[in-house]
Each structure stands twice: as C-alpha cells, then as structure tokens.
Amino acid sequence: QVQLMESGGGLVQAGGSLRLSCVASGRIITINSIGWYRQAPGKQRELVAVITSGGTNNYADSVKGRFTISRDNAKNTVYLQMDSLKPEDTAVYYCKALVNFGAYWGQGTQVTVSS
C-alpha cells in the first residue's frame, strides 16, 4: 500500500506565498509521475502542476510563472512553491502520484487566499 501525505496549506494574503509538500510512503518501487491538483467549492478538480515520468514539468495556464513544482527523489517528496497568490487560488490542494503504475491521492490540504 502507498500513502501520500500533504502539508503546508494555510491562510495567506493575496500576493503572499506558500509551499506545499507531499511525501509518498509505503511499498514504493517507482514513482512514474507526481503532481498537484486543486478543487475549489462548486468546481471540478483541476490539474495545477505535474512532473511527468519523463521529467517534464507541466503547469496549468492559470499558475504559470507563479507556481513551481519540484521533486526530491531521495525523499519521495514533491513540492509546490506558490508565489503571488490570488484569491482565485483558494481551494483544497491534492497530491496525486502514479506509483508502481497505480494511482494514489492524498487527503488534501486547504489553501485560502484572502483579498
């Protein structure tokens, strides 16, 4: 079994920054891709950023230039540095990983950006 644990969410003013972390643990042979999604109230869950199995970083257009995804393979951890936050970034942020070719989700962490 594989577990994903997110941390780093919170309340921040517009223009501020937060750094999310997601640690993968359990029976891990290989992490094929790992990334972040978010879901705002009344909206569908959407991709924020992902590191593909080929090592490419992909971002949603709405966060390009403001968010940076990175990965520490030795720690099985992925980070999301979020700068210049906007109220519309308010959502529950979820980590998703393809581990051993199975898909796993974290429990989510709340990010709230006040105007």
Side-chain angles (χ1 to χ4, degrees):
Q1 188 70 340
V2 174
Q3 296 82 38
L4 301 179
M5 180 65 69
E6 303 105 331
S7 62
L11 173 64
V12 64
Q13 289 188 331
S17 298
L18 283 174
R19 187 193 194 206
L20 305 183
S21 300
C22 172
V23 180
S25 62
R27 188 176 174 82
I28 297 171
I29 299 174
T30 182
I31 298 178
N32 308 106
S33 67
I34 190 164
W36 294 92
Y37 288 71
R38 68 186 180 187
Q39 187 166 20
K43 294 188 176 181
Q44 290 188 332
R45 193 171 297 188
E46 62 177 2
L47 173 69
V48 177
V50 64
I51 301 177
T52 68
S53 57
T56 301
N57 293 358
N58 292 329
Y59 297 93
D61 288 342
S62 59
V63 307
K64 282 181 181 176
R66 300 188 298 122
F67 291 11
T68 303
I69 190 170
S70 61
R71 176 175 172 177
D72 185 334
N73 291 329
K75 297 181 179 179
N76 288 331
T77 300
V78 65
Y79 304 97
L80 185 68
Q81 178 66 41
M82 305 186 293
D83 299 318
S84 302
L85 282 161
K86 304 176 181 180
E88 51 263 44
D89 294 317
T90 295
V92 178
Y93 284 69
Y94 297 90
C95 179
K96 179 185 178 183
L98 294 180
V99 181
N100 309 335
F101 298 101
Y104 296 89
W105 290 89
Q107 83 290 349
T109 185
Q110 177 70 46
V111 171
T112 302
V113 184
S114 63
S115 56

